[in-house]
């Protein structure tokens, strides 16, 4: 499935031309309509890679956190609280 077909299905769900609010979704769809299809496909691939990297980062942090014996937070006392 190419990126262009994903963007067309989003356009079918939410008509950017009729939105009276200028929401971010409509703004993004309006910009996508002005782009060449190759640009949309490239952006979709980049977004996919970004989310895969974020997922790997979060999984790594979760593994490290579960192996740690130290408490995740420490109370810091200020002079007026002690």
């Amino acid at each position: 499935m190419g990126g262009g077909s994903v963007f067309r299905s989003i356009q079918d769900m939410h008509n950017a031309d009729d939105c009276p609010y200028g929401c971010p979704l409509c703004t993004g769809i309006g910009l996508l309509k002005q782009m060449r299809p190759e640009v949309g496909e490239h952006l979709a691939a980049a977004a996919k890679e970004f989310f895969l990297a974020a997922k790997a980062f979060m999984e790594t942090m979760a593994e490290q956190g579960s192996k740690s014996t130290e408490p995740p937070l420490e109370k810091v006392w200020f002079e007026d609280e002690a």
Side-chain angles (χ1 to χ4, degrees):
M1 169 166 47
S5 62
V6 171
F7 295 128
R8 277 197 252 6
S9 65
I10 292 172
Q11 288 174 354
D12 293 340
M13 293 185 315
H14 192 86
N15 189 352
D17 296 330
D18 296 336
C19 182
Y21 307 110
C23 66
L25 182 63
C26 293
T27 303
I29 291 172
L31 291 172
L32 289 172
K33 285 182 177 181
Q34 297 172 9
M35 286 190 242
R36 295 184 316 196
E38 300 85 26
V39 175
E41 291 175 8
H42 179 72
L43 289 173
K48 176 183 175 185
E49 294 297 324
F50 172 78
F51 287 115
L52 287 172
K55 176 185 174 194
F57 174 74
M58 288 186 279
E59 288 173 349
T60 301
M61 295 305 292
E63 288 175 9
Q64 289 177 356
S66 65
K67 293 178 184 175
S68 176
T69 58
E70 297 178 17
L73 300 175
E74 179 181 338
K75 175 69 175 175
V76 177
W77 295 99
F78 293 99
E79 290 179 15
D80 59 343
E81 292 182 350

